[in-house]
Amino acid sequence: MRVYRRDKPELQRPIMLFLTRNWLLRRTIISLQDFLLQNNNSVNILFESKIDLYYSKIKFWGCKTNTDLIKAVTIKNYVAVFKSAKIISGSNLIVLDEKRLLYELKSNSTNKNIDFSDDGISYEKDDLFVITDDESKKVFESGVSMTSNYDTNFYHLMYEVLIKFEALEKLGLDKNIPLLFNKEVLEIKPFFDLISILNKDKRVIESLEKLKIYEVKQLYHISCNNIIAPNFLDITKINDSDNLFSLDALNFLRKNMLEVVKPIEGLKRIFIGRKKAGNRRKYNEEAVWSLLKKYGFDIFYPEEHSADMQISIFNNANFIVGATGAAFTNLLFCNSNCKIICLTNYPIKLSIFSTIAKFIEIEMIYLYDKSLPINKDNYLHQDFKVDILQLENLVKEKIVNNDE
């Protein structure tokens, strides 16, 4: 999930439009349903079903919240085969022809607070898009698209790309039809390991250069059965129901990933360190760590460990504390007795973790910086400060409850 300020990139967009006004790269978004009506000979639906999507509200400490899973919508999940379509590596876009793009999330949504940013888009206004022009000379006879926007982010990779293995498992496609992945994803070892866990049929994997356009003469497209907004225009208007999940998809991932769990000694209480994870959402980590050491916590840096070790450590833990971020993607592998405290900046209803926590019946409580003002221009990844006294009281409360 990325939310950004509309500053420099926004100012550059009029310039981009001027520079690209005569390019033959402009496309309009079209829904699959409309494309089927207009071009029924160039696309074939192999599989289609209806799936229910759910969410669970975030529970902030001190607030009474009903965290039951709530059914939000029923959507169509499908697998389509396109003739001579093009994909952009590291993007959600499918280039259907010289005039039209498929961008399902945008064409299917009426949410006006979502910013449908995508790395494959150079400029957009309403339904007019200017896309990247970096076309590869390599042409695939066939392939399954396993690339998406922000797929080098652990969370987006897991819940937008890897869930597609569920459909692959049902289809029984020829194993020689390659899986087309963003090269940058394959170069991250824990990510490659996750792909290997799910690629039980040992299907051929092809790597695509980031943001290059590839023609695929027979493109297999698996629709995403979760709805995860890429960005938001106003963080104060984010709702719990903006991000929705298929419980079957979550169950598929959990069941298959837990097959690699190995025994872990100790590490029952873990603190997820962020010092090595990047510069977004900094906080008083040293003070938090100093506190948690007193209560028997071990510090854990997920990026230093293999995929199977991350899965095993989260599955072994009974108490986890950490700042919100991609590392919490692993909470899908926790056992149902685990307690989680998620540290964050604002009291925003971003239910990307709370739904997964509720799915496996674990308690997840958010502690936010009450001194930090919030308005529509704020940055979602804003630095913050944890109230150490509040955190200690919450930790002691959960330890007592666990002991009982």
Side-chain angles (χ1 to χ4, degrees), residues 45-71:
I45 303 298
L46 293 184
F47 168 83
E48 186 175 77
S49 66
K50 291 183 178 180
I51 56 173
D52 298 327
L53 300 186
Y54 294 79
Y55 70 94
S56 174
K57 294 181 179 179
I58 287 180
K59 184 177 182 180
F60 294 102
W61 189 40
C63 299
K64 292 184 178 180
T65 306
N66 182 353
T67 60
D68 291 346
L69 286 168
I70 301 170
K71 178 182 170 181

Side-chain angles (χ1 to χ4, degrees), residues 66-100:
N66 182 353
T67 60
D68 291 346
L69 286 168
I70 301 170
K71 178 182 170 181
V73 295
T74 300
I75 66 169
K76 285 185 178 180
N77 176 235
Y78 66 89
V79 179
V81 186
F82 295 94
K83 294 180 181 178
S84 294
K86 297 178 181 179
I87 60 173
I88 303 174
S89 179
S91 167
N92 282 318
L93 305 179
I94 295 179
V95 185
L96 300 171
D97 53 35
E98 292 301 317
K99 295 182 179 180
R100 293 167 294 185

Side-chain angles (χ1 to χ4, degrees), residues 57-62 324 328 331 340-348 350-355 357 364-368 394:
K57 294 181 179 179
I58 287 180
K59 184 177 182 180
F60 294 102
W61 189 40
T324 182
F328 270 118
L331 70 85
I340 293 181
I341 298 175
C342 185
L343 310 174
T344 190
N345 43 26
Y346 303 116
I348 294 171
L350 193 60
S351 58
I352 57 174
F353 298 125
S354 59
T355 304
M364 185 174 194
I365 297 178
Y366 283 71
L367 189 66
Y368 68 93
L394 181 53

Side-chain angles (χ1 to χ4, degrees), residues 291 294-295 388-397:
L291 167 69
K294 297 191 303 182
Y295 292 93
I388 299 301
L389 180 58
Q390 280 190 349
L391 177 59
E392 184 168 24
N393 288 336
L394 181 53
V395 168
K396 289 193 293 186
E397 174 188 308

